[in-house]
Amino acid sequence: MKVLSMILAGFVVGYAVSDIRPFDSLLSSTAEFGSPTTIVNGLTVLALTACLVSVALARSSARGVLVVAIGAVLVVVFRTVGMVTGMFGDWAGAVGAGALLGASAVLAGRHRAAQASLAVAAIGAGLLGTALDALLQADDGPVFVWDVAGAEDAVVPERAIVMVIAALGTALSLYQAHRDVALQSHETRRTLLVGLPLPIAAGVVSWFAGGHDSGDAVWLGALAGMAVLAVVAAFALPGRDGRVLLVLFASATIGSMGFAVEDSLQLAVSVALLVVGAGIGYRWPQLYVGLGGLLVVAGASLIEGYVALPSLSQFALPFVVAYALVSVLSTAPGSLAVALPALFTMSLPVTVFAASYQAGLSLSSDNAVATRTSEPDHLVLSLAGLVVVAVVTVACAVLMRRPTQNPAAR
């Protein structure tokens, strides 16, 4: 039941993440991509909330943490079904998902299976949630007919149904699994030291990388800055906990284009590979094997740019990411709450051109205008991924020399 509760909680968090556009500002509905307010987006708010909630609940009772977790689930659902609308709804969704992540990390404690279930479910739903929505709305797939009560026109009935079912299961399983559990307190000082500035700094770096006039040099400089942030944050976390953050950062770098999902079969394969990778990582954890797998994926991506091969690296990516992540668990609950959003907040934009159409001088023609957002080509992306994984491997090797952290709170 403890593992099931974490799977469902992770799914709700990840599914909410998949509904938050990284560059949509929560400060202004008219904010544009080049605006500084774009830095304060839903993912940043989610990451900050997860950190604060995990610290605030570090010494709470299980029942108190359960109240926060179930309340956060309700907030996410109310926003999904259109009962909390507009800018307030956007903030509520981001804060609710972050609070659920932080509370779930505390409930998972240092239970390795529970942590792995929470992490894999959140990452899988976050990366595959949009594909699931497309599948549910496909003409040749299952279509749900349900009129959602609420004033929000953007409500997706299929997503609302899935979220309501998942939320109900989450609330019940969380209560059944953790109502009589004695929670173990964990360190909070370093969690705040890393968890608050990291997503904000990562947002600033992403903003520079995605500027309209940025080129290869600017993008590579932003990636180097992001790598420095990840390494510094990893060493600031207690003991060896920073390895989780490093693995997720490396995964975000080489997986910038996401998993290969175009139909129901590919979606099922990606989910299956996530589960199998996590299971093998739980049974036979080998950090360096996982990092080696990330290197292989980055190398395969490089070769695919010049040889007509199937997108093997994209299919292998969920398996390798899940294996590498589970191999470095368990960790302190606060460190887990800080590290998990990094897969989304520390991923740089890689769109080369965005084509837009503007009315021409004559009424009979339109002009296509290509706007540059960032300019790294396939070779640059692949080589950068290889370098990042190599740096992460060295940093993890240094962290392995540290003594394991005493779970007692400081």
Side-chain angles (χ1 to χ4, degrees):
M1 184 60 71
K2 190 169 189 176
V3 171
L4 176 62
S5 70
M6 290 298 107
I7 292 175
L8 292 172
F11 178 84
V12 172
V13 170
Y15 208 34
V17 167
S18 71
D19 199 32
I20 299 174
R21 296 182 180 180
F23 301 108
D24 281 354
S25 172
L26 296 182
L27 295 183
S28 171
S29 59
T30 61
E32 297 180 355
F33 184 75
S35 170
T37 58
T38 305
I39 296 172
V40 185
N41 58 63
L43 293 179
T44 305
V45 173
L46 185 152
L48 293 172
T49 304
C51 171
L52 290 171
V53 169
S54 68
V55 169
L57 300 178
R59 296 170 179 82
S60 300
S61 66
R63 292 185 180 273
V65 180
L66 277 175
V67 170
V68 174
I70 295 175
V73 170
L74 294 177
V75 170
V76 174
V77 171
F78 288 160
R79 190 260 179 181
T80 304
V81 301
M83 298 179 68
V84 185
T85 62
M87 188 185 303
F88 180 73
D90 294 337
W91 276 90
V95 171
L100 177 57
L101 175 58
S104 299
V106 174
L107 291 173
R110 286 183 173 270
H111 190 278
R112 188 161 172 259
Q115 285 194 348
S117 300
L118 173 64
V120 173
I123 289 173
L127 295 177
L128 299 173
T130 303
L132 177 60
D133 285 345
L135 173 64
L136 294 177
Q137 298 175 53
D139 293 337
D140 57 350
V143 178
F144 296 104
V145 179
W146 183 44
D147 294 328
V148 180
E152 181 59 62
D153 294 333
V155 170
V156 179
E158 298 82 6
R159 170 174 283 265
I161 292 174
V162 172
M163 188 65 87
V164 167
I165 295 173
L168 178 61
T170 301
L172 292 175
S173 61
L174 283 173
Y175 178 76
Q176 289 294 330
H178 304 279
R179 56 181 175 176
D180 297 323
V181 173
L183 301 180
Q184 188 176 42
S185 59
H186 59 275
E187 175 159 2
T188 60
R189 292 182 300 178
R190 295 192 187 183
T191 302
L192 289 176
L193 176 66
V194 176
L196 296 184
L198 181 62
I200 297 175
V204 174
V205 173
S206 295
W207 177 52
F208 278 109
H212 290 296
D213 297 324
S214 64
D216 280 5
V218 174
W219 191 89
L220 289 174
L223 179 62
M226 196 76 84
V228 170
L229 285 176
V231 172
V232 171
F235 278 88
L237 288 172
R240 301 175 182 177
D241 290 353
R243 296 177 303 164
V244 180
L245 176 63
L246 290 174
V247 167
L248 288 172
F249 169 65
S251 301
T253 301
I254 68 172
S256 298
M257 290 176 282
F259 297 165
V261 177
E262 297 178 358
D263 53 37
S264 58
L265 177 60
Q266 291 185 2
L267 176 62
V269 170
S270 296
V271 172
L273 288 172
L274 271 170
V275 174
V276 173
I280 297 177
Y282 182 80
R283 182 63 180 85
W284 294 286
Q286 295 292 335
L287 171 59
Y288 296 117
V289 172
L291 292 173
L294 292 176
L295 279 171
V296 171
V297 170
S301 177
L302 177 62
I303 295 174
E304 288 168 5
Y306 302 95
V307 180
L309 294 174
S311 300
L312 298 177
S313 62
Q314 294 301 303
F315 283 107
L317 187 60
F319 174 86
V320 174
V321 169
Y323 177 86
L325 174 59
V326 175
S327 292
V328 296
L329 297 174
S330 66
T331 184
S335 299
L336 182 64
V338 168
L340 279 181
L343 182 68
F344 308 102
T345 59
M346 302 189 77
S347 178
L348 292 179
V350 294
T351 302
V352 179
F353 289 102
S356 60
Y357 289 89
Q358 297 179 355
L361 296 178
S362 64
L363 297 178
S364 60
S365 65
D366 290 337
N367 294 328
V369 178
T371 303
R372 184 174 63 189
T373 55
S374 58
E375 205 177 18
D377 59 20
H378 183 84
L379 176 62
V380 172
L381 288 173
S382 300
L383 290 177
L386 286 169
V387 172
V388 166
V389 176
V391 171
V392 166
T393 302
V394 173
C396 286
V398 176
L399 283 174
M400 286 291 288
R401 297 178 177 272
R402 280 184 170 186
T404 56
Q405 179 69 14
N406 189 332
R410 291 185 179 180

